[in-house]
Amino acid sequence: MKHAARDQINAGLGAATLGAGAVIMGGPELGTGLGCLGGALTTSGILGWHMTASIGGADMPVVITVLNSYSGWALCAEGFMLDMPVMTTVGALIGCSGAALTKIMCDAMNRDILSVILGGYGTKSSGKGVAMQFEGEATTTNVDSVVSLLAEAQSVIIVPGYGLAVAKGQYPLKDMVDTLTKAGKKVRFGIHPVAGRMPGQLNVLLAEAGVPYDIVEELEEINDDFDETDLVLVIGANDTVNSAAEDDPNSEIAGMPVLRVWNSKQVIVMKRSLAAGYAGVDNPVFLKENTDMLLGDAKETCEKLALGVKEKLGK
């Protein structure tokens, strides 16, 4: 939600909340105190809703960690008020861990935390102009064609995203990776710092399926290797592989570090549809000549790929 007087509205609501709180602290009569308490609850609730609604989609994962940190500090304050050291300690732990996670996510996404909290959006590098319009048509492919590409490729990088987590497709994906590895293929995973909804989610997901940790690499470790990669499988990821972050200075995600999958010889993007990602920004990678779209549920598609690869290479 974008409002011309966003900052003024937030400031007014904040001042009203603090004013009502000051009256309550002065020990007024019961009626006045209850009125001020109700007013403070109302204005603070509206302030929280308005600030959150004003934040861009790409920043929402950061907002989640900020709110998590806030809940910890609120619990800590309650512990002080009730003289409960355990509650105070637990609240401090939650608040500190949430703040640390927020800092990690802001650094990974090139975000300005103050801009996020105050209802801004975009990265530190975002321009003020109109975002580029990308023209072209995405080409689709099928499972059999992708199986053939996997069989012919010598080096494969898999870039998982939130779509893989939602579909719970990590287990058939692990089976496919095992078959490719046994056939002598070099298979690795490229993980963006904020892949999924928060740092480490995809790492845990792959570890749960038994994927060897030594083939799971972070963005900084693998980004320069795409030039020498035969095939990249992007499974349920969008914003983290969006080339607009580097090519369009006016994009909302401009300056955000991304995995440069488009530099590989061939890219296969597995998604349910051609819709934009969490940030609501169109992805020009889908329109590139070396990119094909394999549409469908991630788990079902991974199962078909695993079966096809096993039939082709598992003999």
Side-chain angles (χ1 to χ4, degrees), residues 59-82:
D59 288 325
M60 285 311 296
V62 180
V63 175
I64 292 172
T65 61
V66 170
L67 295 178
N68 180 60
S69 179
Y70 285 173
S71 69
W73 299 124
L75 185 64
C76 185
E78 184 178 359
F80 273 116
M81 292 178 62
L82 300 177

Side-chain angles (χ1 to χ4, degrees), residues 20-194:
V23 173
I24 295 173
M25 293 296 292
E29 296 181 357
L30 180 62
T32 303
L34 289 175
C36 289
L37 179 60
L41 289 172
T42 301
T43 54
S44 62
I46 296 173
L47 175 61
W49 171 82
H50 185 256
M51 289 184 69
T52 304
S54 300
I55 295 173
D59 288 325
M60 285 311 296
V62 180
V63 175
I64 292 172
T65 61
V66 170
L67 295 178
N68 180 60
S69 179
Y70 285 173
S71 69
W73 299 124
L75 185 64
C76 185
E78 184 178 359
F80 273 116
M81 292 178 62
L82 300 177
D83 192 22
M84 297 179 64
V86 174
M87 184 179 291
T88 302
T89 303
V90 172
L93 288 173
I94 296 174
C96 289
S97 61
L101 186 58
T102 300
K103 176 66 167 57
I104 293 172
M105 293 188 70
C106 284
D107 290 344
M109 299 176 71
N110 195 25
R111 290 295 197 260
D112 184 346
I113 183 60
L114 289 179
S115 177
V116 172
I117 294 175
L118 296 178
Y121 66 91
T123 66
K124 298 175 183 176
S125 305
S126 296
K128 300 297 182 181
V130 179
M132 294 171 59
Q133 296 294 321
F134 300 98
E135 298 182 356
E137 186 175 347
T139 57
T140 59
T141 186
N142 54 54
V143 171
D144 292 337
S145 297
V146 177
V147 168
S148 297
L149 289 172
L150 287 166
E152 296 170 1
Q154 293 302 311
S155 57
V156 179
I157 294 179
I158 301 172
V159 179
Y162 187 63
L164 179 69
V166 172
K168 298 181 180 179
Q170 65 268 31
Y171 296 102
L173 180 61
K174 167 64 163 52
D175 293 338
M176 184 186 73
V177 170
D178 287 343
T179 303
L180 291 171
T181 303
K182 291 176 182 177
K185 314 290 185 181
K186 182 179 181 181
V187 184
R188 291 177 292 168
F189 287 84
I191 306 296
H192 192 278
V194 292

Side-chain angles (χ1 to χ4, degrees), residues 204-216:
V204 173
L205 196 77
L206 296 176
E208 182 182 86
V211 174
Y213 189 76
D214 59 350
I215 66 171
V216 179

